[in-house]
Amino acid sequence: MKKTSTRLADGRELIYYDLRDDTVRDAVDRRPLEPTVTTSEVRRDALLGDAVAVASHRQGRTYHPPADECPLCPTQGERLTEIPDSSYDVVVFENRFPSLAGDSGRCEVVCFTSDHDASFADLTEEQARLVLDAWTDRTSELSHLSSVEQVFCFENRGEEIGVTLGHPHGQIYAYPFTTPRTALMLRSLAAHKDATGGENLFDAVLERELAGERMVLEGEHWAAFVPYAAHWPYEVHLYPKRRVPDLLALDEAARTEFPKVYLELLRRFDRIFDGQGGRTGGKEGAGEPPTPYIAAWHQAPFGALEEFDGVVREDFALHLELFTIRRTSGKLKFLAGSESGMSVFINDVPPERAAERLREVASS
């Protein structure tokens, strides 16, 4: 992997990640951009103890542009985009409309490929490995910022999720605090460790699932399963079999196997609704649109963990959570009164049946 850092016309950082070491990246951003002005601030909810990012400048962000005006495609002639070069493998840049900025953290965009009509599932294993390397590098770099306590790499796919740009891409949020969801995991981890005399809760969950009926896909170094209490109609958790706290700690064997396992998992998600008006691949085609999903990496915070008694970073287990809000063909799972009002999820698809379906759609 070759890494080349440059600056866009408004001063934001852009980084190329290339498969070839001899690739030269010297294209200049020719757009007449003014310096980016953000209004992001983080406010604490006194009753719930969580945080809300208030970012009014995001109201003006780019919204569903036509394909020939996509800002994430490479620059071509006088069609100038966020990426100054005429091609790229993987590129990361500071978001022009960040939810978090300055002392409130940082937001970055990750473009997985220059092919506007592709999806992550269409990548080769070599390309997917490059994305993994980019996620890892950004986790390392962002963890050294004084304002950052937790790094979150994720992908939103599909208009149903709220995606406003159709180009295959994800994001990285660098939070100035430990997120509420991670804090819940750490509290459960601490309580289980105390109650069992030191047993690790993540290890116990993985061991149980490896021997159970909710397994979806298993490699030598990775395991994917539908969790016992899945919140979403189709939800899969992907764990490295050797517990590590973050992407930085993955060994080479796990990194090498990851693309094959993850691409197969994404392709199965695109086949869940086959025979129900669905379609069979990542690129545009007939039938129902691609399965909308969120893919979210959970990594240990880099900040202090004193409030979680007896827990250290190494107790946390890196894992990816992949889920769709589609519950059946043409129908979405909406977060209504119980979910949005009280954070109590109601799942219409039994996790065991979801796992069975994801095994059924395995590629030949």
Side-chain angles (χ1 to χ4, degrees):
M1 178 188 78
K2 181 181 180 182
K3 175 183 175 182
T4 306
S5 179
T6 184
R7 292 282 171 180
L8 296 173
D10 56 7
R12 288 175 294 133
E13 185 178 19
L14 180 143
I15 307 159
Y16 295 98
Y17 292 90
D18 287 295
L19 292 168
R20 291 175 55 94
D21 290 337
D22 59 354
T23 303
V24 176
R25 298 295 185 186
D26 56 7
V28 175
D29 185 3
R30 294 180 281 134
R31 297 173 298 169
L33 298 180
E34 296 295 328
T36 301
V37 177
T38 63
T39 58
S40 176
E41 79 173 290
V42 173
R43 297 186 180 183
R44 293 281 179 177
D45 185 310
L47 294 178
L48 297 179
D50 60 8
V52 176
V54 179
S56 59
H57 62 277
R58 285 174 51 79
Q59 287 280 36
R61 66 188 184 274
T62 307
Y63 186 81
H64 293 302
D68 60 359
E69 296 179 17
C70 175
L72 305 185
C73 288
T75 288
Q76 298 293 336
E78 293 307 309
R79 181 187 165 211
L80 309 179
T81 72
E82 290 279 65
I83 296 90
D85 217 323
S86 59
S87 67
Y88 64 84
D89 292 333
V90 173
V91 71
V92 177
F93 60 89
E94 288 184 77
N95 198 321
R96 191 176 178 187
F97 304 97
S99 303
L100 307 166
D103 292 339
S104 297
R106 175 160 158 150
C107 292
E108 299 181 339
V109 176
V110 184
C111 297
F112 304 138
T113 171
S114 59
D115 184 351
H116 180 85
D117 296 319
S119 72
F120 201 117
D122 295 315
L123 301 183
T124 65
E125 291 185 19
E126 185 180 36
Q127 289 173 309
R129 169 60 189 264
L130 184 61
V131 175
L132 174 63
D133 289 342
W135 283 331
T136 304
D137 181 70
R138 296 316 301 152
T139 296
S140 175
E141 293 292 328
L142 293 170
S143 71
H144 290 97
L145 298 181
S146 60
S147 62
V148 172
E149 189 166 311
Q150 186 172 2
V151 178
F152 176 46
C153 306
F154 64 101
E155 180 192 2
N156 298 328
R157 205 274 285 267
E159 291 187 18
E160 300 95 328
I161 297 294
V163 175
T164 58
L165 296 175
H167 196 102
H169 72 287
Q171 299 181 67
I172 301 175
Y173 276 21
Y175 296 102
F177 50 80
T178 296
T179 61
R181 188 173 177 87
T182 303
L184 286 174
M185 293 184 198
L186 291 168
R187 292 189 189 102
S188 297
L189 188 62
H192 186 84
K193 189 174 185 178
D194 180 64
T196 60
E199 182 182 67
N200 184 280
L201 179 58
F202 286 110
D203 292 350
V205 167
L206 181 57
E207 182 179 0
R208 180 185 69 185
E209 297 296 353
L210 281 168
E213 61 181 319
R214 289 178 296 274
M215 282 298 300
V216 172
L217 184 63
E218 183 179 358
E220 183 179 354
H221 304 284
W222 293 87
F225 58 88
V226 177
Y228 171 75
H231 289 56
W232 299 95
Y234 291 91
E235 174 182 342
V236 175
H237 293 190
L238 177 63
Y239 277 68
K241 290 184 176 179
R242 182 180 70 87
R243 173 167 42 90
V244 295
D246 52 37
L247 290 166
L248 302 173
L250 286 174
D251 60 24
E252 184 56 32
R255 292 180 184 280
T256 299
E257 186 181 71
F258 171 77
K260 180 178 181 180
V261 173
Y262 187 49
L263 289 172
E264 170 61 18
L265 201 54
L266 292 180
R267 290 162 186 165
R268 291 190 191 190
F269 256 62
D270 267 337
R271 291 191 291 267
I272 292 173
F273 304 102
D274 285 359
Q276 305 175 27
R279 25 160 274 168
T280 58
K283 291 181 180 290
E284 294 300 327
E288 194 159 359
T291 301
Y293 66 71
I294 293 175
W297 280 110
H298 291 264
Q299 305 191 79
F302 290 96
L305 300 178
E306 285 86 354
E307 64 180 293
F308 308 105
D309 293 339
V311 171
V312 296
R313 284 195 84 246
E314 289 68 27
D315 290 332
F316 194 87
L318 166 76
H319 63 284
L320 181 140
E321 297 184 7
L322 173 68
F323 60 90
T324 179
I325 63 171
R326 186 177 291 163
R327 56 188 175 88
T328 189
S329 181
K331 297 179 181 179
L332 301 180
K333 165 63 179 177
F334 292 102
L335 300 189
S338 186
E339 292 89 352
S340 295
M342 296 302 289
S343 293
V344 177
F345 276 66
I346 301 168
N347 190 352
D348 300 317
V349 180
E352 292 74 22
R353 173 54 191 150
E356 182 182 13
R357 178 58 182 159
L358 285 161
R359 291 193 298 269
E360 289 174 351
V361 297
S363 63
S364 57

